[in-house]
Amino acid sequence: MIVDLRIYTCLPNKVAEFVALYEAEGWPIQLKYLENCVGWYTTVEGALNTVVHMWGYADQGDRERRRAAMAADPAWQAYLKKVGERGLLLKMENRIIRPTPFFEAHRAARAG
């Protein structure tokens, strides 16, 4: 399993607007294509105006297939256009991370 860790920095006072638009239009589309949301958060301390979300995939090929299918959806393109037109985001980052062996063992032990 790999996780796509996504960190979005909103312009000041735009987090609530970004989250509301995402919840209404982005979230349903991402759930349809990406399926495995590991977490979706906003910061309360530290670097403010930040949204962090994580999506789990079987491997990099799984991630690429799912994200390509989502990118081809006209509804996703319309959502991205709205985000851009409203000027909500300052910066977007993503990192591909994977669990350590000891965490995988811990997770397996808890599941079984």
Side-chain angles (χ1 to χ4, degrees):
M1 176 179 160
I2 63 168
V3 173
D4 186 355
L5 169 66
R6 305 187 76 84
I7 305 165
Y8 294 0
T9 304
C10 296
L11 289 168
N13 303 310
K14 296 289 187 175
V15 171
E17 185 179 351
F18 175 73
V19 170
L21 178 60
Y22 177 82
E23 182 181 10
E25 298 186 30
W27 175 246
I29 299 166
Q30 287 200 306
L31 282 180
K32 176 181 175 182
Y33 291 101
L34 307 183
E35 295 181 1
N36 185 18
C37 184
V38 177
W40 215 99
Y41 310 93
T42 58
T43 55
V44 293
E45 291 187 21
L48 300 178
N49 304 311
T50 304
V51 172
V52 177
H53 48 111
M54 297 174 284
W55 297 87
Y57 302 94
D59 53 38
Q60 186 65 20
D62 179 40
R63 177 185 175 273
E64 289 174 12
R65 282 187 297 279
R66 290 176 182 275
R67 292 196 63 85
M70 182 179 71
D73 188 320
W76 181 248
Q77 293 302 318
Y79 163 73
L80 293 179
K81 184 177 179 184
K82 285 181 186 179
V83 171
E85 289 172 348
R86 293 185 188 185
L88 302 175
L89 297 176
L90 179 63
K91 181 170 74 169
M92 295 170 41
E93 304 171 61
N94 82 298
R95 297 177 180 113
I96 304 301
I97 57 177
R98 65 175 180 214
T100 59
F102 70 84
F103 180 76
E104 281 292 307
H106 167 76
R107 191 170 68 150
R110 289 187 63 188

